């Protein structure tokens, strides 16, 4: 929070001293060495050419103004060639601790979104099989991002787009049908590109039970029945897995619904009216190359079947033009990178700002067990299901580790590490800090502390370097939340949590919280409570629990 406050002060003082300056980009950063203060800014260097003055002169004028802010700064220093270094007063950090103790679960909230309507569409796996660990990473990312955006003032809707139309669905139905024939004793030749997982046998058994005359039906009808049953069973399985993973959607949006409501046809007619559709080789093409795509794209094949792209155009038109979202965020697997330009081209064709669609590509997950990487192939049925991972290590460890890297970085998920109950396991290390604080308060109650009146606390007792470091780290929380929200980067919170937990564990190992000195004890309990509140708030934004005991 102090970083934002310093930035606002700088902007106000510049306005007062030098007048309004537009498009001013400057840094407020933590110096690498403590001798240069708590924060530093390069604003005077940035203003050099704008004001035609030396950076030192600008910095000194600003510093004189900042020195008046005694409630915030204990010391200000100007160093060549024009940096301004700030030392934050302990009183400021104490006031922030009081704010944490007062606001509790509301602490850290900041209104960045001002109620802007945001749709986050994530996972959206074709209902052709169970969710695998790659889907799990996307699920953790999308759900955590939704929590963060909601916490920062956006009106968020979480949506799953069900791709239940097209060739893959037909192949799914045919895969079940062939397995049903096989289960009935018929020798079959199973095509290479059909779905081969064990779950297909399970669905085939259910199909034979529900439809005793399945194999005597006309094949096309039998495959259609198998397809519909497979979609229903797989979707139910997907929903159950996601609920176990603490991912609850506001909407499940069916692709077939777009066609039933004639949305796809309406959109194509709209593009035709604008002269953006043409026919070639029996297919219908969209002139996406006019809007930045590498080439034009087929939206209706020569066999009169709509492409996935046709449905996606209608879906996104409907998101913006009919449902009125201000921002749409799609979280896709990295293998969809070639799809981005064509979708943004479609938005341009509708006069929708393509920047209103943000696409986050999630890199792959390597699952490691016993030092070996497990292979994954959806068609061959060799993938690791999300439910297997949840059974093995639980939702907390799975979510935390999935969120420990940025989306554009591949992730190694070490199962053996995730199961360890030691400081090597990052989620255990963070959760243990929260549980440890809970145990401190349990022990305090046993020692006669039946109430904690923070208004009576003498905060001057928090004078050790480790206590000041903890106070500083607590103040950083809102800055981290702001960064995680603005950059769509939940991993900022996992890094922060590890830092906060580390500082707390080190403090706890060095100092006694509970002692005969009641004033000292109350102040230290207040600091611990501040840590507990922030740990819990940050864990909640990741969808990870904050246990009281471990």
């Amino acid at each position: 929070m102090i970083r934002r406050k310093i930035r606002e002060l700088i902007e106000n003082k510049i306005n007062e001293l030098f007048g309004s300056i537009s498009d001013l980009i400057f840094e407020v950063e933590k110096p690498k060495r403590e001798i240069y203060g708590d924060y530093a800014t390069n604003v005077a260097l940035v203003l050099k050419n704008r004001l035609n003055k030396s950076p030192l002169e600008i910095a000194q004028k600003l510093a004189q103004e900042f020195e008046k802010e005694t409630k915030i700064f204990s010391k200000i220093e100007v160093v060549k060639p024009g940096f301004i270094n700030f030392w934050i007063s302990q009183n400021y950090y104490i006031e922030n601790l009081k704010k944490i103790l007062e606001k509790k679960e509301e602490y850290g909230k900041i209104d960045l979104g001002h109620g802007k309507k945001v749709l986050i569409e994530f996972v959206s796996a074709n209902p052709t099989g169970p969710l695998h660990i790659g889907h799990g990473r996307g699920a953790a990312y999308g759900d955590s991002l939704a929590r963060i955006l909601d916490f920062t003032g956006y009106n968020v809707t979480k949506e799953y787009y069900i791709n239940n139309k097209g060739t893959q669905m037909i192949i799914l139905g045919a895969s079940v049908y062939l397995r049903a024939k096989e289960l009935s004793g018929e020798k079959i030749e199973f095509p290479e590109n059909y779905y081969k997982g064990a779950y297909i046998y399970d669905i085939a058994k259910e199909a034979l039970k529900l439809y005793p005359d399945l194999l005597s039906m006309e094949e096309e009808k039998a495959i259609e029945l198998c397809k519909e049953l497979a979609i229903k069973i797989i979707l139910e399985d997907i929903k159950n897995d996601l609920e176990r993973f603490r991912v609850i959607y506001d909407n499940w949006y069916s692709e077939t619904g777009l066609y039933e409501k004639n949305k796809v046809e309406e959109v194509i007619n709209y593009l035709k009216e604008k002269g953006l559709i043409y026919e070639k080789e029996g297919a219908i093409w969209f002139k996406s190359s006019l809007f930045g795509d590498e080439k034009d794209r087929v939206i209706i094949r020569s066999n009169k079947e709509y492409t996935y792209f046709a449905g996606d155009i209608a879906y996104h038109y409907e998101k913006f033009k009919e449902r009125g979202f201000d921002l749409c965020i799609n979280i896709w697997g990295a293998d969809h990178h070639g799809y981005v330009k064509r979708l943004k081209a479609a938005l341009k064709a509708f006069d929708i700002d393509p920047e209103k669609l943000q696409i986050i590509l999630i890199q792959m997950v390597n699952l490691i067990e016993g030092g070996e990487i497990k292979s994954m192939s959806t068609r061959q049925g060799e993938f690791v299901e999300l439910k297997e991972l949840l059974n093995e290590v639980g939702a907390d460890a799975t979510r935390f580790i999935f969120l420990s890297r940025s989306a554009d970085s591949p992730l190694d998920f070490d199962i053996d590490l995730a199961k360890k109950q030691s400081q090597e396991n990052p989620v255990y290390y963070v959760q243990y800090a929260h549980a440890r604080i809970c145990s401190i308060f349990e022990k305090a109650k046993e020692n006669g502390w039946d109430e904690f009146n923070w208004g009576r606390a003498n905060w001057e007792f928090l004078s050790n370097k480790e206590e000041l470091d903890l106070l500083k780290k607590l103040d950083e929380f809102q800055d981290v939340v702001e960064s995680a929200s603005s950059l769509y980067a939940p991993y900022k919170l996992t890094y922060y949590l590890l830092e906060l937990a580390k500082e707390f564990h080190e403090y706890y190992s060095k100092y006694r919280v509970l002692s005969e000195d009641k004033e000292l004890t109350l102040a230290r309990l207040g600091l611990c409570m501040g840590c507990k509140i922030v740990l819990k708030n940050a864990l909640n934004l990741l969808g990870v629990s904050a246990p009281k005991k471990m």
Side-chain angles (χ1 to χ4, degrees):
M1 184 177 166
I2 186 61
R3 190 197 304 265
R4 169 179 268 261
K5 195 173 280 291
I6 293 171
R7 180 173 286 280
E8 288 171 355
L9 273 171
I10 290 170
E11 289 168 350
N12 290 338
K13 296 301 179 186
I14 288 169
N15 276 338
E16 290 173 18
L17 293 171
F18 308 114
S20 179
I21 298 175
S22 60
D23 302 322
L24 184 62
I25 299 172
F26 61 93
E27 294 176 0
V28 176
E29 298 292 339
K30 293 179 73 175
K32 290 180 181 176
R33 297 175 63 189
E34 289 184 0
I35 60 167
Y36 295 122
D38 296 312
Y39 289 90
T41 182
N42 67 341
V43 70
L45 299 168
V46 173
L47 286 169
K48 173 186 171 183
N49 294 330
R50 298 279 196 104
L51 299 177
N52 200 23
K53 296 177 185 289
S54 78
L56 274 175
E57 182 187 348
I58 297 167
Q60 283 161 355
K61 280 190 175 182
L62 286 169
Q64 286 172 5
E65 292 297 313
F66 296 141
E67 282 168 358
K68 298 173 186 176
E69 305 289 341
T70 53
K71 289 184 178 179
I72 299 174
F73 304 119
S74 60
K75 178 183 171 184
I76 292 170
E77 179 181 81
V78 173
V79 294
K80 291 181 179 179
F83 290 101
I84 307 173
N85 297 336
F86 304 93
W87 281 259
I88 310 303
S89 73
Q90 184 169 0
N91 182 63
Y92 168 82
Y93 289 120
I94 292 297
E95 288 303 312
N96 187 64
L97 175 59
K98 291 179 186 176
K99 195 182 295 180
I100 295 170
L101 297 173
E102 178 192 340
K103 290 191 170 184
K104 299 176 183 173
E105 66 273 6
E106 296 293 306
Y107 178 72
K109 282 190 172 184
I110 178 170
D111 189 8
L112 300 176
H114 308 296
K116 186 184 285 187
K117 284 182 67 179
V118 178
L119 179 70
I120 304 183
E121 184 233 313
F122 59 106
V123 183
S124 297
N126 290 349
T128 54
L131 295 180
H132 56 61
I133 58 170
H135 297 134
R137 188 181 185 192
Y141 200 99
D143 185 65
S144 178
L145 181 56
R147 291 166 185 253
I148 292 165
L149 292 178
D150 179 70
F151 197 67
T152 53
Y154 292 86
N155 180 4
V156 181
T157 298
K158 293 179 286 184
E159 188 157 283
Y160 189 114
Y161 181 58
I162 307 166
N163 291 113
N164 53 358
K165 185 176 173 61
T167 305
Q168 299 311 316
M169 297 300 104
I170 294 167
I171 290 174
L172 174 66
S175 300
V176 172
Y177 178 67
L178 288 184
R179 289 306 189 201
K181 290 176 82 170
E182 188 179 51
L183 287 169
S184 299
E186 189 174 332
K187 190 172 182 182
I188 61 148
E189 203 168 306
F190 204 80
E192 187 61 31
N193 66 332
Y194 277 30
Y195 294 98
K196 299 176 181 175
Y199 66 95
I200 297 293
Y201 279 107
D202 294 335
I203 297 169
K205 287 174 189 173
E206 187 66 23
L208 288 169
K209 194 188 300 180
L210 279 174
Y211 311 112
D213 59 341
L214 181 74
L215 301 182
S216 60
M217 288 181 191
E218 183 186 334
E219 186 172 294
E220 190 175 332
K221 182 184 176 184
I223 289 174
E224 180 65 21
L225 286 172
C226 288
K227 182 191 82 172
E228 293 303 321
L229 178 64
I231 290 171
K232 181 185 174 186
I233 289 173
I234 292 169
L235 263 181
E236 196 172 303
D237 185 60
I238 287 172
K239 286 180 181 180
N240 288 338
D241 284 353
L242 289 168
E243 283 181 17
R244 277 188 68 195
F245 203 40
R246 304 180 188 136
V247 178
I248 307 295
Y249 285 91
D250 300 299
N251 290 327
W252 291 77
Y253 195 106
S254 168
E255 181 186 9
T256 55
L258 284 168
Y259 290 89
E260 289 165 1
K261 292 183 285 187
N262 295 318
K263 294 295 179 187
V264 181
E265 194 176 335
E266 282 177 25
V267 164
I268 291 174
N269 287 336
Y270 176 84
L271 293 172
K272 275 181 186 174
E273 288 170 13
K274 293 187 75 173
L276 298 174
I277 297 291
Y278 65 93
E279 188 174 341
K280 186 176 82 173
E281 297 169 354
I284 304 297
W285 297 67
F286 164 52
K287 294 180 182 178
S288 54
S289 60
L290 292 178
F291 303 97
D293 196 6
E294 293 95 347
K295 59 182 181 179
D296 294 345
R297 303 291 176 177
V298 175
I299 53 176
I300 304 178
R301 298 187 183 93
S302 55
N303 63 1
K304 307 306 176 189
E305 283 186 7
Y306 290 93
T307 61
Y308 281 119
F309 185 41
D312 280 339
I313 293 173
Y315 178 42
H316 285 81
Y317 178 89
E318 193 262 5
K319 283 182 182 182
F320 288 106
K321 292 290 191 178
E322 296 186 7
R323 287 197 276 166
F325 286 102
D326 301 301
L327 172 68
C328 291
I329 300 171
N330 291 358
I331 297 174
W332 292 346
D335 56 339
H336 286 71
H337 66 91
Y339 211 77
V340 177
K341 280 188 178 179
R342 72 186 72 173
L343 195 49
K344 293 214 171 198
L347 294 185
K348 288 180 189 176
F350 296 125
D351 299 317
I352 298 168
D353 180 0
E355 290 307 305
K356 287 187 173 185
L357 174 65
Q358 294 295 314
I359 296 173
I360 298 168
L361 299 174
I362 302 283
Q363 292 294 325
M364 67 180 291
V365 179
N366 294 315
L367 196 63
I368 300 169
E369 188 169 23
E372 293 185 0
I373 294 177
K374 293 194 169 191
S375 64
M376 276 184 41
S377 168
T378 309
R379 285 278 172 81
Q380 299 300 322
E382 295 171 353
F383 56 88
V384 178
E385 293 183 28
L386 176 61
K387 63 170 65 70
E388 293 178 58
L389 198 56
L390 295 178
N391 291 339
E392 190 87 2
V393 303
D396 283 339
T398 303
R399 286 187 69 123
F400 194 96
I401 294 170
F402 277 157
L403 295 168
S404 64
R405 296 286 182 274
S406 64
D408 57 7
S409 299
L411 177 73
D412 288 339
F413 192 114
D414 190 327
I415 288 181
D416 300 321
L417 177 65
K419 288 161 72 174
K420 281 186 179 178
Q421 294 193 352
S422 71
Q423 65 179 25
E424 294 173 73
N425 178 348
V427 67
Y428 181 87
Y429 188 64
V430 171
Q431 288 179 315
Y432 185 54
H434 184 271
R436 179 172 254 177
I437 295 170
C438 291
S439 71
I440 291 170
F441 277 88
E442 284 299 313
K443 195 163 186 181
K445 286 176 183 176
E446 290 170 13
N447 292 351
W449 288 85
D450 53 356
E451 64 173 346
F452 305 96
N453 189 338
W454 308 123
R456 293 181 182 175
N458 183 350
W459 303 112
E460 289 181 8
F461 280 98
L462 301 178
S463 57
N464 295 310
K465 180 183 182 301
E466 291 81 2
E467 288 165 335
L468 185 56
D469 286 344
L470 269 175
L471 288 168
K472 289 178 180 180
K473 186 58 65 178
L474 293 177
D475 181 72
E476 286 176 28
F477 178 54
Q478 194 173 62
D479 287 333
V480 174
V481 169
E482 182 174 358
S483 178
S485 177
S486 302
L487 300 174
Y488 309 143
Y491 77 93
K492 299 274 186 184
L493 284 161
T494 57
Y495 283 12
Y496 172 78
L497 277 165
L498 286 164
E499 290 169 359
L500 177 57
K502 179 176 183 290
E503 290 194 13
F504 176 77
H505 287 308
E506 288 175 354
Y507 172 67
Y508 181 82
S509 64
K510 191 169 182 178
Y511 299 99
R512 286 182 63 196
V513 176
L514 305 177
S515 67
E516 296 300 316
D517 187 332
K518 290 201 169 184
E519 283 194 286
L520 176 62
T521 296
L522 184 61
R524 286 183 172 173
L525 282 170
L527 178 59
C528 289
M529 180 58 77
C531 291
K532 177 177 177 287
I533 289 167
V534 172
L535 284 164
K536 186 174 182 179
N537 288 359
L539 284 167
N540 185 57
L541 292 175
L542 298 178
V544 176
S545 70
K548 294 181 178 179
K549 292 182 180 179
M550 291 185 74

